[in-house]
Amino acid sequence: MYSSSNLHEQTKNDFVKTVGLPDLAISNGANFIRHRSLSDTFSLFSNGPELLEYFPSTFTYNYSQNYKNIPSRIELE
Amino acid sequence: MIRCKNISKIFNVNKPNELTALKEIDLKFKEGELVILKGASGSGKSTLLSLIAALSKPNVGEVIIDEKRISKMPDNFTSLFRRENVGFIFQKYNLIPTLSAYDNIILPLIPTNPNEKQLHKRIDELLKTFCIEDKKDVLVKNLSGGEQQRVAISRALINNPKIIIADEPTANLDAKLSLDFIEIIKSLKNDATTILIATHDPLFFDLDFVDKIVELKNGEVIDVSHS
Amino acid sequence: MKINHYLIGFAVSSLFRRGTKSLFVLFIFTALIFLLSSILFISNSIKEELNLTLDSLPQIIVQKLQAGRQTNIELKRVNKLLEFQGVQSAVPRIWGYYYFEKAGVNFSLVGIDAYDKQYKNSFANIVKNVNFDALEKTSSMVVGQGVKKALSENYYKNYFNFIKPDGDFIKVPIASTFSSKTSLESNDIILMPRSLVLEIFGMDKTKATDIVLSVANPEEIPTIAKKIKNLYPDTRVITKSDLKVSYQNIFDYKSGMFLALFVISAFTFFMIIYDKASGLSSEEKKEIGILKALGWKIDDILQEKFYEAFIISFVAFISAIILSLFFVYTLEAPILKEIFIGYSRLKPSFDLPFILDVQTIFLLFFLTIPLYLAAIIIPSWRVASMDADEVMR
Ligand SMILES: Nc1ncnc2c1ncn2[C@@H]1O[C@H](COP(=O)(O)OP(=O)(O)OP(=O)(O)O)[C@@H](O)[C@H]1O
Ligand SMILES: [Mg+2]
């Protein structure tokens, strides 16, 4: 027997298992925010160099630490 | 016994408006005495009373009450001393205008966490004595001058003080109420209370139970008469 | 020690006597703590929501980088990866953004196919009325609530015409929607057979977006990740612990929105404190003088002031916390949620998991109330230690 909140938890986990993508669908204005854990440095520039920021999303959410996984000399801070 | 030992009070020391309000006052009052302070306006009566109640400190000399050198004691002791021994009736009443008459009267007892029943009884007595029973819950700012003065007197008596200090207590009372007040003073004197009254009111000058009349002028004692 | 009810009563009545001033302080105090705690509650709940499903995420994700940019990875590598010691399965995935111009929104397209047996059960649990194979057979899709809404607002009630890179349309019927319970995860997701996604993205059939690995022994994840990286220097390997770190650092507290909000709140708070600390009104001073003349010790006066300040700040604090709990978890944080949702046109329902974040509450408590108490008590103490006669006039 699941309690109702456990049931939701189960549904959510099943969903994530199926789709396999991290992060929430809360803010999807920019792909480097929507799938921030999987995005790379250059997805910041993919819409053109002037489109770095999506206010307020990019002011609220941090860039993913996983950016650091890639060999890039671009300083992000 | 109250002893003023050669006291001077100077306001605004070392400023252009320096003012010597009291100069080398040396006085001695025995326990249970009724003392009248008289003198022109600005002669230093209020200043002397506030020194005796340790509301301020003399620049020179000291005040000694019952062997306690109160003008040399730290604030917390003088506060405690006032709470336990002194009832002060201020010239400007110094009531809290946004509190009711009742709440003003209990102010001195609040820190002592009084017993509710005894407190009620005591306040009812006082309110009755001063005919302000019906004003009990009225805010002080809505009371007349005379009523305010009676609240101030009740407040000074609430802690059954051994020393009563009154600064112009009858200034706003009519003839009848002034006589009532004198009756109260008389009965307090019979209970061996020491009473100091600063006043212009001639009513006090020829009372037969006055022990001493001290006359001040420009901050100096010019006459002490015993009756 | 016996509690002095008279003193507390006097403190309360003093607050009422200075009604407008008390109300003002109460209002500002409540508003500030309400704002701060609401933001902290929301961000904590978002983290909680993220961590809720952390275990269901892939153990290792392998992406290919080309000149630093993520690009599609060759399917050939799947078999190579399977040869690694300890790797249980390697599944190529196809997913990506699809921009729906009319509504100005981004969808996330995810392809799945019947070979991915391990998804079958979980799929059956989230989509009740369509089965996995039927989806494949009818070439249809399952969409999130937000996608469904965006499409139906733009004419597409039962299907949608995707535009392929070559300019052709491809019509995909909507088979079902994800439960709104998963809105925070599924709102912008479109799930469809892999072949369809390949077509819509115009992708090479020999490539995938990334490859997901599962490992028998979780302890081996870091070693395997390192080995893959060594064998293919052009890849980026993201492990579950990388995702966890990413989740933990989701909010940008050090700059941007939060910093602005915190600075404003802190500034306002210190303004009040400064205003308070820079002096009491002449009435308040006189009152202290009177009390002292009537035989109140400095301690008594300070105790009374303490009660006054504590009562007002505590009432403000508690009501702010209760208000913000109600605001965030019952009303779903109107207005304030815009900060977190941004300009996304696909608004998910903001149904956050409730957690009573005791740590945040304590933090706010100890950051605000002692400061306010000090701001009241220090100036009172200064006045109370002067001569009563001096203060009264
Ligand atoms: N805090 C003070 N600062 C400066 N001067 C003061 C202060 N208190 C009293 N004085 C001055 O000291 C003198 C004596 O004042 P005090 O109030 O003792 O007179 P008083 O005899 O009570 O007069 P009244 O009959 O008008 O009440 C006055 O000149 C007054 O201006
Ligand atoms: Mg006077």
Side-chain angles (χ1 to χ4, degrees):
Chain A
M1 265 299 282
Y2 283 121
S3 78
S4 106
S5 76
N6 278 341
L7 198 62
H8 294 169
E9 210 174 309
Q10 186 61 38
T11 317
K12 285 174 182 176
N13 274 299
D14 281 331
F15 179 83
V16 171
K17 221 173 259 168
T18 312
V19 174
L21 296 177
D23 296 304
L24 296 179
I26 284 186
S27 178
N28 53 8
N31 59 352
F32 53 92
I33 296 296
R34 170 61 182 98
H35 300 290
R36 48 182 287 289
S37 303
L38 293 181
S39 56
D40 60 71
T41 324
F42 291 91
S43 55
L44 265 74
F45 298 99
S46 61
N47 300 320
E50 76 280 11
L51 267 180
L52 257 174
E53 304 287 3
Y54 280 79
F55 181 83
S57 307
T58 49
F59 289 82
T60 303
Y61 300 101
N62 209 347
Y63 70 87
S64 169
Q65 306 302 306
N66 294 342
Y67 288 150
K68 291 183 175 158
N69 268 7
I70 58 169
S72 167
R73 308 227 95 222
I74 293 177
E75 291 294 323
L76 280 153
E77 260 184 322
Chain B
M1 194 181 74
I2 301 172
R3 171 116 169 78
C4 300
K5 212 166 155 188
N6 193 28
I7 53 176
S8 295
K9 179 74 182 173
I10 305 158
F11 290 110
N12 308 319
V13 180
N14 289 335
K15 286 192 196 139
N17 56 347
E18 186 175 291
L19 185 132
T20 307
L22 291 176
K23 207 186 289 169
E24 293 161 15
I25 305 279
D26 210 275
L27 289 167
K28 215 187 251 178
F29 310 124
K30 290 202 211 64
E31 205 170 302
E33 264 187 349
L34 170 57
V35 181
I36 304 292
L37 283 178
K38 69 176 190 179
S41 184
S43 55
K45 303 184 293 292
S46 301
T47 308
L48 180 57
L49 293 183
S50 100
L51 286 178
I52 292 173
L55 295 176
S56 61
K57 305 222 143 86
N59 300 68
V60 183
E62 61 179 318
V63 180
I64 302 168
I65 301 179
D66 295 338
E67 257 89 84
K68 289 195 194 86
R69 307 166 70 175
I70 61 150
S71 55
K72 297 269 198 263
M73 295 203 303
D75 273 13
N76 271 349
F77 285 94
T78 57
S79 286
L80 201 61
F81 173 78
R82 277 194 295 275
R83 181 198 296 172
E84 284 166 357
N85 302 297
V86 181
F88 204 118
I89 302 162
F90 299 93
Q91 186 166 12
K92 291 177 219 144
Y93 317 144
N94 282 336
L95 298 167
I96 295 179
T98 47
L99 279 180
S100 70
Y102 181 93
D103 289 337
N104 263 288
I105 295 172
I106 67 166
L107 280 182
L109 292 186
I110 285 180
T112 66
N113 200 8
N115 176 299
E116 184 142 9
K117 248 196 212 131
Q118 289 167 6
L119 183 72
H120 270 299
K121 209 173 131 228
R122 177 81 182 120
I123 291 186
D124 286 341
E125 271 169 31
L126 286 168
L127 290 169
K128 202 167 186 177
T129 325
F130 292 101
C131 309
I132 41 174
E133 289 151 296
D134 51 335
K135 306 290 180 195
K136 189 171 144 181
D137 297 316
V138 180
L139 295 190
V140 158
K141 65 177 178 195
N142 298 331
L143 294 178
S144 74
E147 287 160 347
Q148 289 188 16
Q149 191 142 30
R150 280 175 279 159
V151 173
I153 296 170
S154 311
R155 186 180 66 183
L157 298 181
I158 186 90
N159 57 345
N160 298 314
K162 285 206 301 241
I163 303 169
I164 288 173
I165 300 177
D167 201 350
E168 317 271 359
T170 56
N172 274 299
L173 302 182
D174 60 23
K176 179 184 175 297
L177 286 169
S178 298
L179 288 173
D180 287 351
F181 179 73
I182 286 170
E183 279 310 303
I184 290 157
I185 292 297
K186 192 172 173 181
S187 72
L188 285 170
K189 182 170 160 51
N190 291 339
D191 296 340
T193 312
T194 314
I195 303 165
L196 308 179
I197 302 174
T199 187
H200 295 290
D201 196 339
L203 215 53
F204 286 94
F205 299 151
D206 21 67
L207 294 173
D208 51 1
F209 55 92
V210 170
D211 298 298
K212 247 180 217 162
I213 297 182
V214 177
E215 192 168 353
L216 290 175
K217 192 180 175 187
N218 294 332
E220 291 181 83
V221 179
I222 52 168
D223 182 41
V224 180
S225 56
H226 300 258
S227 43
Chain C
M1 199 186 82
K2 220 176 129 216
I3 292 168
N4 188 341
H5 297 286
Y6 286 92
L7 202 59
I8 295 174
F10 183 76
V12 172
S13 86
S14 297
L15 288 174
F16 278 105
R17 282 190 290 133
R18 291 189 275 276
T20 22
K21 192 176 173 186
S22 304
L23 268 182
F24 176 74
V25 172
L26 194 70
F27 176 76
I28 298 282
F29 211 115
T30 309
L32 283 176
I33 293 180
F34 169 76
L35 185 67
L36 284 179
S37 60
S38 294
I39 289 175
L40 292 173
F41 286 160
I42 293 175
S43 52
N44 272 310
S45 280
I46 288 179
K47 275 192 182 173
E48 172 74 13
E49 177 82 18
L50 283 168
N51 289 328
L52 206 66
T53 55
L54 188 65
D55 279 342
S56 301
L57 286 170
Q59 287 169 312
I60 298 178
I61 300 171
V62 183
Q63 296 177 332
K64 184 184 158 97
L65 297 179
Q66 190 169 45
R69 246 172 236 264
Q70 197 216 321
T71 180
N72 296 332
I73 189 164
E74 294 84 10
L75 282 178
K76 286 196 306 235
R77 291 200 181 169
V78 174
N79 288 327
K80 281 269 170 59
L81 289 169
L82 270 172
E83 285 166 14
F84 275 92
Q85 275 279 314
V87 173
Q88 235 173 8
S89 72
V91 179
R93 295 194 305 187
I94 305 216
W95 65 274
Y97 256 3
Y98 184 89
Y99 183 65
F100 178 34
E101 204 178 337
K102 250 183 165 163
V105 298
N106 284 309
F107 299 142
S108 291
L109 257 59
V110 180
I112 50 170
D113 80 47
Y115 299 117
D116 311 336
K117 293 275 186 294
Q118 75 258 45
Y119 299 144
K120 260 192 168 165
N121 284 337
S122 53
F123 181 87
N125 286 339
I126 51 169
V127 186
K128 296 276 183 256
N129 51 350
V130 186
N131 93 25
F132 201 66
D133 301 318
L135 199 70
E136 191 113 65
K137 229 168 270 161
T138 55
S139 287
S140 48
M141 59 185 176
V142 184
V143 301
Q145 299 283 341
V147 179
K148 173 87 177 163
K149 193 157 161 274
L151 292 182
S152 54
E153 275 166 8
N154 290 282
Y155 171 78
Y156 299 104
K157 295 263 185 283
N158 304 314
Y159 67 94
F160 179 64
N161 284 329
F162 288 94
I163 306 170
K164 295 198 288 185
D166 60 12
D168 285 351
F169 287 109
I170 171 165
K171 181 173 164 177
V172 183
I174 299 171
S176 182
T177 54
F178 297 117
S179 151
S180 59
K181 305 277 187 310
T182 61
S183 171
L184 279 173
E185 286 81 12
S186 69
N187 201 46
D188 63 349
I189 300 260
I190 299 177
L191 200 64
M192 56 171 74
R194 188 200 304 265
S195 53
L196 269 180
V197 185
L198 274 174
E199 223 180 320
I200 291 165
F201 287 164
M203 262 171 73
D204 194 335
K205 289 218 165 41
T206 62
K207 296 205 166 155
T209 313
D210 52 22
I211 299 171
V212 168
L213 304 184
S214 70
V215 171
N217 178 4
E219 308 269 304
E220 289 177 15
I221 294 178
T223 352
I224 294 175
K226 205 175 267 168
K227 280 186 194 159
I228 298 172
K229 184 77 189 158
N230 284 341
L231 184 63
Y232 299 116
D234 64 337
T235 54
R236 178 162 72 137
V237 185
I238 298 171
T239 63
K240 194 184 271 189
S241 62
D242 290 332
L243 294 177
K244 194 172 173 185
V245 170
S246 162
Y247 277 7
Q248 268 155 6
N249 298 302
I250 175 169
F251 293 111
D252 194 358
Y253 289 114
K254 293 188 295 291
S255 62
M257 212 61 210
F258 288 107
L259 192 69
L261 276 166
F262 293 152
V263 165
I264 291 170
S265 318
F267 182 73
T268 320
F269 191 71
F270 285 111
M271 281 298 284
I272 307 177
I273 300 236
Y274 177 77
D275 183 52
K276 274 287 189 181
S278 58
L280 303 172
S281 72
S282 61
E283 276 121 82
E284 281 171 296
K285 275 188 195 160
K286 189 168 178 196
E287 223 174 276
I288 291 176
I290 292 174
L291 294 177
K292 199 176 172 194
L294 293 178
W296 288 43
K297 291 191 282 187
I298 296 178
D299 323 3
D300 299 324
I301 294 168
L302 295 188
Q303 205 179 345
E304 190 271 326
K305 288 288 168 192
F306 174 84
Y307 285 144
E308 249 182 70
F310 188 77
I311 288 169
I312 198 164
S313 55
F314 193 71
V315 166
F317 186 82
I318 291 296
S319 41
I321 294 292
I322 291 173
L323 270 178
S324 75
L325 286 175
F326 177 74
F327 176 78
V328 171
Y329 297 110
T330 309
L331 301 182
E332 302 193 348
I335 304 174
L336 206 58
K337 74 174 170 197
E338 305 299 325
I339 292 173
F340 294 90
I341 291 180
Y343 287 143
S344 331
R345 306 274 174 88
L346 289 175
K347 309 263 184 220
S349 78
F350 212 58
D351 188 6
L352 296 171
F354 177 82
I355 36 167
L356 192 62
D357 185 6
V358 182
Q359 220 178 332
T360 302
I361 294 175
F362 270 103
L363 183 78
L364 284 173
F365 187 92
F366 288 111
L367 278 183
T368 52
I369 291 191
L371 274 179
Y372 183 75
L373 291 181
I376 297 295
I377 288 177
I378 291 169
S380 304
W381 170 76
R382 236 184 265 141
V383 172
S385 48
M386 297 192 327
D387 273 349
D389 206 35
E390 199 71 24
V391 189
M392 270 189 301
R393 60 182 54 245

